[in-house]
Amino acid sequence: MEIIKGYVDHIIYRNQSNAYTVFVLQNEEGELSCTGYFSFIEEGELLELKGDYVSHPTYGLQLQVTGYKECEPEDLVSIERYLGGGAIKGIGQALAGKIVGRFREDTFRVIEEEPELLAQIRGISERKAMEIARQVEEKKEVRNAVIFMQKYGISTSLGMKIYQFYQNNIYRILEENPYQLADEIEGVGFKTADEIATKVGILRDSDFRIKSGLYYTLQQSASEGHTYLVQEDLLNRTKELLGVPVSQVENHLIDLSMERKIIIKNEDSQVRIYPATYYYMELNVARMLDDLNYKFKVFSSALESRMEEIESEESIILDGVQKEAVFEAAQNGVMVLTGGPGTGKTTTINAMIRFFQKEGMSILLGAPTGRAAKRMSEATGYEATTIHRMLGVNKGPEEEESGFSKNEDYPLETDVVIIDEVSMVDLPLMSGLLKAIIPGTRLILVGDINQLPSVGVGKVLEDVISSGVFPVVKLTEIFRQAKESDIVVNAHKINKGEAVVADNKSEDFFFLKRQEASTIINVVLLLIKEKLPNYVHATSYDIQVLTPTRKGLLGVDNLNIELQKHLNPASRKKKEKLFGERLFREGDKVMQIKNNYQLEWQVKTKYGMAVDSGLGVYNGDIGIIKAINDYEESVEIIYDENKSVSYPYALLEEVELAYAITVHKSQGSEYPGVVIPLLSGPRPLYNRNLIYTAITRAKSCVTIVGSETVFQDMIKNTMEQKRNTTLSKRIQELHEGANK
């Protein structure tokens, strides 16, 4: 560890989002390039740095700073240099020289205590003098606050975010109730707040701690898809988290209710506890669907005539159920079309589109992900976008809110909205969509009810169908062409709970029986590198490994390490970045793992000129690492449609390798080839829904490698991880109320 002192000569690079800075330090020994995270430093400041020397392959010897403190300038030259170095806006080198020349060693005392004296200097008005004093004081306060928070393990970048929110109240909050941070600041979890509370001496049975632990437990249940927890379950989970008796926990439920953070509902012989956000979101989604549930007057004879025109023009023949779907879409404000692969959903959607066009109506097509939207566009021949892009990102919304430019005040200008892959749509996204649709617009929801539910909170498609309020048309017949695909045929067998014959006589469905994890990994590698690319006419990167779990030898984490070694091995020509336990390399296949509404993307020409841009990268988006820039501390990733996104290193927590992904993350996507490694795992997860979803992601070929016993057991296993939601109930309540 080295300790050196010197002046910031000039700043080369600063990342505003995470405070990462590259600058040149100057002292008696000369100039030195330094890198690190600095809250507020400016050219001319005197710093004492702690760190280690590193040799950068491009920029030579650098000091990698791990700690620092800002020093008061030690002489007149230093004071002048600091003031004129850009730290204080409005003071250049010439004016700094005049100030120091007048007040000498007393300069900082005058600025802080008697700033009006600065007005004695030509070029400084009284107003400017007060502004200089304000800047000096403000900078001092921010610096002191960030340093104060570092004592509690809060990073510089997070500390700056916290200070901007609380200003000088942060000292009181940290000492009285650090749990407030967990409730109000994204990036501060309960465990971080709990560690701070321990350091400041807050007792384990503190009211603050118990209330925050209760609310945290309730919020965490949303990651399992729940919009509420039964009271007994919530109390037991909180007891395990906090290590305090249930009786103490229960006493604070009323407090949280009075603070309007939770809603307590006694219904269906249960006491249900909701985060207030999700309770009202379910209620509002139900209300908005009810508002759209309008009956349009359409004459059957006119409908029949239109359908005959469409069949003739498109050279198709619709069966009775498909025609029923078009009729329901024409006559209802809200309708649902559901069905498995090969049952004619796309043909039916196309017929709907043609019908509405003939009626002179405008139509918008959307899907939850970029890949699903692209599939919809290719299948229908009409432009489809992601729901996020359809609504337009207006600001950075929280996970449970919509922050879209299209809303109840600025609705979508269309007559019909058709959304595909609705099984993937969670409650917040459905809420954002419905806010932008005005009554009188037709909403058609399309999805496969047998797939896994959304990654996010809720089970919207299932609840809308089970409410029994809206017309639902289910396509069940497999069409002739689809019957030629064993992927389709076997998917329907799985859905019915029928055993699938694994005799490898198929051309698109294979089962390679292996019992050892290491052997399975070797077979997977052989398939992806050598066997499948030519067979499915795609690259190794296009073939997707889908696995049920994250942990274990056949989990996402380990498989990605093994696949990276063989599909994108280390090379002197490829830069790398180790972020925590994740190693990223140029050329890696990666996935965004959370919605980030603030990230900017650009589409560039081959000469680097931006021809399109926008905001938002979303959970499940897959791309390729194009470049790693150590100097700028950034990673450039290219996503679908050639969208380029620059990630500062601090945001790499939102990205992971994607050679293998979980089945949940594959929803809405389709791949030319899918490989599924399969050995035993947790029974609630290894169920029919999961294997059905995995198989239906393949377009040309699916290969399962592993235990046939596990595979057949999954087909029989209808045990699902139950989600606590009441959207269906809220829809029914509103409908019954309207009928009364």
Side-chain angles (χ1 to χ4, degrees):
M1 182 72 68
E2 301 290 334
I3 299 177
I4 65 171
K5 200 171 188 179
Y7 296 97
V8 180
D9 185 74
H10 61 281
I11 293 173
I12 299 171
Y13 171 78
R14 173 178 287 157
N15 187 316
Q16 297 295 342
S17 65
N18 64 2
Y20 177 79
T21 309
V22 181
F23 66 93
V24 172
L25 189 82
Q26 187 176 60
N27 57 19
E28 295 174 354
E29 297 179 8
E31 294 185 347
L32 176 67
S33 174
C34 303
T35 66
Y37 295 87
F38 297 84
S39 51
F40 289 94
I41 64 165
E42 300 292 346
E43 293 176 358
E45 290 196 59
L46 179 63
L47 303 179
E48 183 178 281
L49 308 175
K50 288 192 296 185
D52 298 303
Y53 287 114
V54 296
S55 180
H56 192 281
T58 305
Y59 304 106
L61 187 69
Q62 291 183 327
L63 184 74
Q64 204 168 64
V65 179
T66 55
Y68 76 100
K69 68 178 182 180
E70 299 177 24
C71 307
E72 290 292 333
E74 297 172 338
D75 52 44
L76 298 182
V77 174
S78 304
I79 295 171
E80 183 178 331
R81 185 172 187 166
Y82 172 77
L83 287 176
I88 310 300
K89 291 180 181 177
I91 300 182
Q93 288 290 351
L95 197 53
K98 291 180 183 179
I99 295 170
V100 176
R102 172 69 65 89
F103 300 111
R104 312 292 291 174
E105 289 84 355
D106 214 20
T107 296
F108 278 113
R109 187 198 64 76
V110 168
I111 292 174
E112 292 175 9
E113 298 176 11
E114 300 178 274
E116 65 277 3
L117 296 180
L118 292 174
Q120 297 173 4
I121 296 171
R122 188 174 180 180
I124 301 180
S125 63
E126 287 188 11
R127 183 177 177 182
K128 187 170 185 177
M130 294 301 115
E131 175 62 20
I132 290 169
R134 186 195 64 76
Q135 286 187 56
V136 169
E137 185 60 29
E138 185 182 77
K139 188 170 184 295
K140 186 177 180 181
E141 288 174 357
V142 176
R143 181 174 68 237
N144 291 342
V146 169
I147 291 171
F148 177 77
M149 284 185 271
Q150 285 174 348
K151 293 191 299 184
Y152 300 109
I154 297 173
S155 68
T156 297
S157 56
L158 185 56
M160 289 166 63
K161 185 177 181 180
I162 292 170
Y163 182 81
Q164 287 167 1
F165 191 85
Y166 293 115
Q167 300 293 311
N168 285 331
N169 288 328
I170 187 58
Y171 300 100
R172 176 183 58 79
I173 289 167
L174 282 175
E175 291 174 355
E176 292 179 6
N177 179 20
Y179 297 102
Q180 190 173 334
L181 273 66
D183 292 345
E184 297 177 340
I185 304 290
E186 187 181 357
V188 181
F190 173 80
K191 292 178 181 176
T192 300
D194 210 26
E195 288 172 7
I196 296 170
T198 301
K199 289 177 181 176
V200 300
I202 292 177
L203 299 176
R204 289 176 61 78
D205 60 355
S206 150
D207 290 349
F208 289 137
R209 182 171 187 263
I210 294 173
K211 283 198 296 183
S212 184
L214 254 174
Y215 191 57
Y216 169 79
T217 302
L218 196 56
Q219 287 180 310
Q220 284 297 105
S221 71
S223 66
E224 302 167 34
H226 303 310
T227 58
Y228 73 88
L229 285 180
V230 175
Q231 179 173 308
E232 183 181 2
D233 187 17
L234 173 60
L235 296 178
N236 286 328
R237 289 188 186 203
T238 309
K239 180 193 78 171
E240 292 298 318
L241 174 71
L242 301 180
V244 297
V246 165
S247 57
Q248 279 186 280
V249 177
E250 188 172 7
N251 293 336
H252 291 84
L253 284 172
I254 297 301
D255 295 337
L256 286 173
S257 177
M258 292 179 68
E259 292 172 16
R260 299 184 179 182
K261 288 185 175 179
I262 66 171
I263 301 294
I264 302 174
K265 292 282 289 185
N266 196 332
E267 55 188 7
D268 299 334
S269 303
Q270 291 180 327
V271 179
R272 295 168 175 166
I273 316 293
Y274 300 76
T277 304
Y278 290 134
Y279 175 77
Y280 290 114
M281 196 176 285
E282 281 195 336
L283 206 58
N284 286 331
V285 166
R287 176 187 56 78
M288 290 185 287
L289 283 169
D290 189 63
D291 288 344
L292 291 173
N293 193 22
Y294 184 82
K295 289 287 184 183
F296 297 93
K297 290 183 179 179
V298 181
F299 295 105
S300 298
S301 57
L303 268 171
E304 288 284 0
S305 176
R306 282 289 192 211
M307 295 315 302
E308 288 175 8
E309 282 181 44
I310 292 167
E311 286 181 314
S312 174
E313 292 171 2
E314 300 295 318
S315 300
I316 57 173
I317 298 175
L318 300 174
D319 68 12
V321 182
Q322 289 176 310
K323 285 181 180 178
E324 180 194 350
V326 180
F327 292 170
E328 294 290 1
Q331 297 175 96
N332 291 280
V334 179
M335 71 86 61
V336 179
L337 175 66
T338 184
T343 56
K345 288 199 300 292
T346 299
T347 302
T348 308
I349 293 171
N350 280 329
M352 289 177 180
I353 292 170
R354 295 293 294 125
F355 172 80
F356 290 125
Q357 282 182 327
K358 283 181 175 292
E359 295 297 308
M361 296 184 187
S362 57
I363 308 160
L364 287 177
L365 306 183
T369 67
R371 290 189 170 224
K374 186 177 179 181
R375 285 177 59 199
M376 194 179 190
S377 295
E378 291 170 349
T380 62
Y382 297 92
E383 183 185 3
T385 67
T386 63
I387 298 172
H388 291 92
R389 193 159 194 192
M390 180 189 290
L391 299 177
V393 176
N394 187 35
K395 57 181 179 178
E398 301 295 333
E399 287 296 315
E400 60 275 356
E401 297 178 349
S402 65
F404 301 113
S405 55
K406 295 293 184 182
N407 50 43
E408 51 268 77
D409 296 322
Y410 301 97
L412 294 167
E413 297 178 4
T414 188
D415 299 307
V416 182
V417 177
I418 303 176
I419 304 295
D420 198 7
E421 297 285 359
V422 180
S423 62
M424 295 179 64
V425 176
D426 60 16
L427 186 65
L429 186 55
M430 178 57 78
S431 175
L433 175 65
L434 292 175
K435 285 178 183 177
I437 301 177
I438 59 173
T441 306
R442 289 170 172 81
L443 174 62
I444 298 160
L445 304 175
V446 183
D448 186 346
I449 192 63
N450 296 302
Q451 286 190 27
L452 292 168
S454 60
V455 175
V457 67
K459 46 183 173 70
V460 172
L461 180 62
E462 183 180 333
D463 281 347
V464 169
I465 291 173
S466 65
S467 72
V469 170
F470 310 103
V472 177
V473 176
K474 186 171 183 179
L475 304 174
T476 56
E477 183 183 345
I478 307 174
F479 283 84
R480 182 182 58 78
Q481 190 174 355
K483 285 180 180 177
E484 297 172 6
S485 166
D486 285 315
I487 295 174
V488 172
V489 172
N490 288 338
H492 284 271
K493 283 184 176 179
I494 289 168
N495 201 20
K496 295 174 184 174
E498 299 174 3
V500 172
V501 178
D503 58 8
N504 289 333
K505 292 181 179 178
S506 168
E507 293 184 359
D508 62 3
F509 191 98
F510 302 98
F511 201 113
L512 307 181
K513 300 172 187 177
R514 305 289 188 276
Q515 301 300 324
E516 298 292 330
S518 57
T519 306
I520 291 172
I521 292 171
N522 288 333
V523 172
V524 168
L525 284 166
L526 181 67
L527 287 168
I528 294 175
K529 287 184 71 176
E530 299 179 23
K531 302 294 184 182
L532 286 177
N534 287 336
Y535 191 75
V536 298
H537 308 292
T539 69
S540 295
Y541 274 50
D542 295 323
I543 298 162
Q544 189 61 57
V545 178
L546 302 181
T547 181
T549 62
R550 297 197 61 86
K551 302 302 178 185
L553 291 175
L554 297 183
V556 164
D557 296 339
N558 185 62
L559 281 173
N560 272 318
I561 292 171
E562 294 297 324
L563 290 166
Q564 182 191 46
K565 281 181 196 172
H566 293 86
L567 297 179
N568 189 32
S571 164
R572 290 183 180 180
K573 296 179 180 178
K574 298 175 186 175
K575 292 181 182 176
E576 297 180 351
K577 170 61 184 174
L578 183 64
F579 185 85
E581 295 181 357
R582 298 175 189 167
L583 176 66
F584 295 104
R585 183 177 293 137
E586 288 177 344
D588 272 337
K589 182 179 179 181
V590 292
M591 172 185 279
Q592 173 80 12
I593 57 173
K594 64 175 289 190
N595 288 339
N596 187 322
Y597 300 89
Q598 295 288 4
L599 267 176
E600 182 179 358
W601 54 262
Q602 292 184 326
V603 177
K604 301 177 182 177
T605 66
K606 63 180 180 179
Y607 302 107
M609 183 178 293
V611 293
D612 193 11
S613 64
L615 290 176
V617 184
Y618 305 111
N619 190 354
D621 287 353
I622 289 180
I624 303 291
I625 294 179
K626 182 180 180 182
I628 295 175
N629 190 323
D630 286 328
Y631 191 66
E632 293 186 358
E633 294 256 319
S634 66
V635 174
E636 182 183 6
I637 299 175
I638 307 296
Y639 287 103
D640 285 345
E641 299 175 338
N642 209 31
K643 292 179 180 177
S644 171
V645 180
S646 180
Y647 286 77
Y649 280 175
L651 275 184
L652 288 178
E653 64 185 8
E654 297 185 5
V655 179
E656 66 181 21
L657 295 176
Y659 298 102
I661 63 175
T662 61
V663 178
H664 277 88
K665 289 286 189 183
S666 73
Q667 288 172 268
S669 296
E670 186 178 68
Y671 311 96
V674 164
V675 179
I676 307 169
L678 202 60
L679 285 179
S680 60
R683 185 166 174 76
L685 179 61
Y686 278 55
N687 57 34
R688 183 183 297 171
N689 275 43
L690 186 132
I691 195 64
Y692 172 81
T693 302
I695 285 169
T696 54
R697 298 308 90 206
K699 183 178 181 180
S700 302
C701 179
V702 61
T703 307
I704 302 173
V705 187
S707 166
E708 185 183 2
T709 302
V710 171
F711 173 59
Q712 302 293 358
D713 284 347
M714 288 178 77
I715 296 172
K716 298 173 189 172
N717 180 15
T718 56
M719 182 190 300
E720 295 177 37
Q721 293 175 314
K722 182 179 178 293
R723 291 191 170 193
N724 298 334
T725 69
T726 45
L727 175 60
S728 178
K729 183 178 181 67
R730 303 294 167 239
I731 292 171
Q732 289 167 350
E733 288 170 348
L734 280 171
H735 185 67
E736 289 165 7
N739 285 341
K740 287 179 183 177

